[in-house]
Amino acid sequence: MNNVVIKNVRLYGEGDPVDVLLADGEIREIGTDLGVIDAQTVDGAGQVLLPGFIDLHTHLREPGREDTETIESGSAAAALGGYTAVFAMANTSPVADTAVITDYVWKRGQEVGLVDVHPVGAVTVGLEGKQLAEMGTMAAGVGAVRIFSDDGHCVYDPLIMRRALEYANSLGVLIAQHAEEPRLTKGAVAHEGPTASRLGLAGWPRAAEESIVARDALLARDAGARVHICHASTAGTVELLKWAKAQGISITAEVTPHHLLLDDSRLETYDAVNRVNPPLREASDVAALRQALAEGVVDCVATDHAPHADQDKCCEFAAARPGMLGLETALSIIVETMVKPGLLDWRGVARVMSENPARIVGLDDQGRPLAVGEPANLVLIDPAAEWTVEADDLASIARNTPFQAMTLPAKVTATFLRGRLTARDGKIVAG
Ligand code: NCD
Ligand code: ZN
């Protein structure tokens, strides 16, 4: 019996509760009187059903740093967070700059079977920014790479970026840019502003991000290509996105949950769990990012889930690696920062965490409407739940969550991948 019926659930948190039958990987029936069905029952009373989340920006550290995350542990974290597809960044060791690696990532994800792990291919060989990687063979492999990114590094050379955009355009794939002009961030560890000055931390100016966003918008315009901006972090980036979109430039952008909740006042303790790229900015940036996500200027949420070992985080701020865990806390942070203040309703959450990411990357089996005949990639959410983050309880191997001990609203209670339960009440359901 592989069928599941979700009872008494509200689709998008709207209207009267209904029963939803999942069979053969699809939504088979939606109604209030489905009759006697041979199916596993999942109680959806008081809960919200949405299309499964898609993360365009996840770091799973396999191959190379399996001590901090593997495709298996990261897939578990994703399923528990309500995700049905994630895009695993290319900054592994070795770098995912050939089809050998990108195909491996896809196949390993399918073996684990908890979430579709789409590989991101590197734009340049070794993420060095010098020579384009063989994007065509990666796109043509079984991993069918759809996003190319040197994330962790910026494709800083404008001529290389221009060629990458042209090449990606002809392949029908997307370039995702980590916007950071490296000449402006040498040695930088924190947002350049009063807090960093007072604390004696080297500053990462907003202009390092914004100058690349502006440049890449213009390069995309001239190449007639699409460009995606990773982890937008400043109010100025929001203004540039607005401008570029108004010109008809094909630019999209993501924002992370941490940039929607935290600001640089967190640095007062010098706790390196708060070190991240781009850095936590000021309260005014946080407010602008929330507004931009609500209005669609920023298209979607992406976690930038970045696991790091204790020895790389529990050390002096300037010596720590940048990055934070995000997969298991994303939904709750979006509820806290966007739903509770009235900036998004549940349809809005579906839009920014599922539909828009699917559209940006052209996935046709994800981010679909909750309707009969659609693939059953779904997340069930208890909007009334509250929980307290405990790093040791997360499925990730690493423990670098900045949300430790915070009490957060809303909890994923079940995730379905092609009609099969992958996570239920905080536990992984074996495949
Ligand atoms: C990421 C990582 O650790 O791989 N770190 C981070 O601070 N965001 C790289 C990245 O996304 O830039
Ligand atoms: Zn990045």
Side-chain angles (χ1 to χ4, degrees), residues 6-322:
I6 310 168
K7 304 277 283 181
N8 293 312
V9 70
R10 293 172 74 225
L11 310 187
Y12 305 101
E14 294 169 358
D16 294 325
V18 291
D19 297 346
V20 180
L21 173 65
L22 316 181
D24 300 325
E26 287 181 4
I27 299 177
R28 176 59 52 80
E29 239 185 298
I30 297 176
T32 47
D33 188 17
L34 301 189
V36 183
I37 299 162
D38 181 23
Q40 180 184 355
T41 300
V42 171
D43 182 14
Q47 308 207 23
V48 174
L49 190 67
L50 299 183
F53 301 144
I54 301 160
D55 191 10
L56 298 184
H57 191 147
T58 309
H59 297 275
L60 305 180
R61 304 299 192 190
E62 182 175 346
R65 283 306 300 268
E66 292 85 350
D67 58 315
T68 62
E69 196 78 293
T70 62
I71 290 169
E72 185 172 15
S73 65
S75 291
L80 291 166
Y83 287 87
T84 49
V86 300
F87 285 74
M89 279 296 174
N91 64 337
T92 49
S93 178
V95 170
D97 58 4
T98 63
V100 177
I101 310 285
T102 55
D103 286 353
Y104 168 76
V105 169
W106 169 256
K107 284 190 226 157
R108 181 69 193 127
Q110 292 300 296
E111 256 169 44
V112 172
L114 294 173
V115 58
D116 287 343
V117 180
H118 293 276
V120 174
V123 177
T124 67
V125 174
L127 309 176
E128 283 174 356
K130 301 232 151 62
Q131 187 192 338
L132 287 185
E134 287 195 22
M135 290 161 56
T137 56
M138 288 189 265
V142 294
V145 176
R146 301 156 177 276
I147 302 183
F148 289 87
S149 181
D150 277 3
D151 184 63
H153 300 262
C154 182
V155 182
Y156 58 88
D157 181 329
L159 188 56
I160 297 279
M161 185 61 176
R162 178 186 177 137
R163 290 195 180 126
L165 288 168
E166 288 168 351
Y167 194 27
N169 197 32
S170 71
L171 290 169
V173 297
L174 183 69
I175 303 281
Q177 175 71 294
H178 168 117
E180 174 183 354
E181 168 52 59
R183 301 266 293 157
L184 292 175
T185 61
K186 236 180 170 20
V189 299
H191 166 66
E192 182 182 86
T195 306
S197 305
R198 188 156 33 77
L199 298 176
L201 297 171
W204 201 129
R206 293 187 180 96
E209 172 171 311
E210 294 157 1
S211 58
I212 296 291
V213 173
R215 182 201 78 176
D216 288 358
L218 299 174
L219 291 175
R221 179 193 66 187
D222 288 358
R226 300 191 299 146
V227 67
H228 179 76
I229 302 300
C230 295
H231 40 51
S233 75
T234 76
T237 289
V238 168
E239 289 308 310
L240 289 163
L241 290 167
K242 236 183 250 175
W243 173 83
K245 288 183 171 192
Q247 310 305 302
I249 297 170
S250 297
I251 191 166
T252 54
E254 64 190 36
V255 62
T256 71
H258 48 270
H259 288 108
L260 291 169
L261 182 66
L262 308 176
D263 61 39
D264 68 349
S265 64
R266 292 272 304 203
L267 305 187
E268 299 286 349
T269 60
Y270 287 100
D271 185 342
V273 80
N274 297 306
R275 180 160 178 203
V276 66
N277 266 343
L280 300 179
R281 301 285 184 188
E282 297 181 28
S284 53
D285 297 288
V286 172
L289 290 166
R290 289 185 186 187
Q291 199 59 40
L293 183 63
E295 290 171 0
V297 175
V298 167
D299 301 83
C300 67
V301 171
T303 67
D304 192 9
H305 178 82
H308 287 296
D310 283 354
Q311 70 264 26
D312 294 321
K313 285 307 257 184
C314 305
C315 59
E316 194 195 331
F317 198 90
R321 292 198 188 201

